[in-house]
Amino acid sequence: QVQLVESGGGLVQAGGSLRLSCAASGLTFSRYAMGWFRQAPGKEREIVAGISWGGGATYYADSVKGRFTIFRDNAKNTMYLQMNTLKPEDTAVYYCAARQLQRGVVASSDDIDYWGKGTLVTVSS
């Protein structure tokens, strides 16, 4: 049974930092491109960042470029999202996603194989 479990969410003041983790089990982690998505209240789910299976290629939404960094540790079956200079508009539930890809990165919700249940990030002004 495949599980993606997010952690690290919480309440932080604007300008602060958080690091999210996504622990994967039940799949061969190194065969999957991974991504972080988020959904704010009343809005559609959107891509935040994606990373290739080996970590050599990444994708970022324009809204987070220069502030967020996605990376992974295949030995630990874990993906991370380092979020710096957080803004109130970053408030959302953040989801981890996996897609089996030999090449490329996750850049949209198309063809996602597995989703986590999400972790809430709240940024206060």
Side-chain angles (χ1 to χ4, degrees):
Q1 181 181 358
V2 174
Q3 282 192 311
L4 302 177
V5 180
E6 302 94 338
S7 61
L11 174 64
V12 64
Q13 288 189 330
S17 298
L18 282 176
R19 178 177 289 186
L20 305 184
S21 300
C22 171
S25 61
L27 76 169
T28 304
F29 186 66
S30 60
R31 292 182 181 175
Y32 286 79
M34 302 293 294
W36 286 100
F37 292 76
R38 67 186 181 187
Q39 187 167 17
K43 295 188 177 180
E44 293 187 355
R45 190 175 298 189
E46 62 177 2
I47 180 76
V48 175
I51 189 166
S52 59
W53 67 267
T58 56
Y59 168 86
Y60 294 95
D62 287 344
S63 58
V64 306
K65 280 181 182 176
R67 300 189 298 123
F68 291 9
T69 302
I70 187 171
F71 59 104
R72 64 192 292 165
D73 185 340
N74 285 354
K76 295 183 178 180
N77 287 359
T78 303
M79 175 183 65
Y80 304 91
L81 185 69
Q82 178 66 41
M83 305 186 295
N84 298 329
T85 319
L86 282 160
K87 304 176 180 180
E89 51 263 44
D90 294 318
T91 295
V93 176
Y94 283 71
Y95 297 90
C96 170
R99 180 184 174 189
Q100 191 164 7
L101 271 179
Q102 289 188 336
R103 293 181 181 179
V105 299
V106 170
S108 75
S109 58
D110 294 345
D111 301 319
I112 294 296
D113 294 301
Y114 304 104
W115 292 94
K117 293 184 178 180
T119 185
L120 176 63
V121 172
T122 304
V123 184
S124 63
S125 57

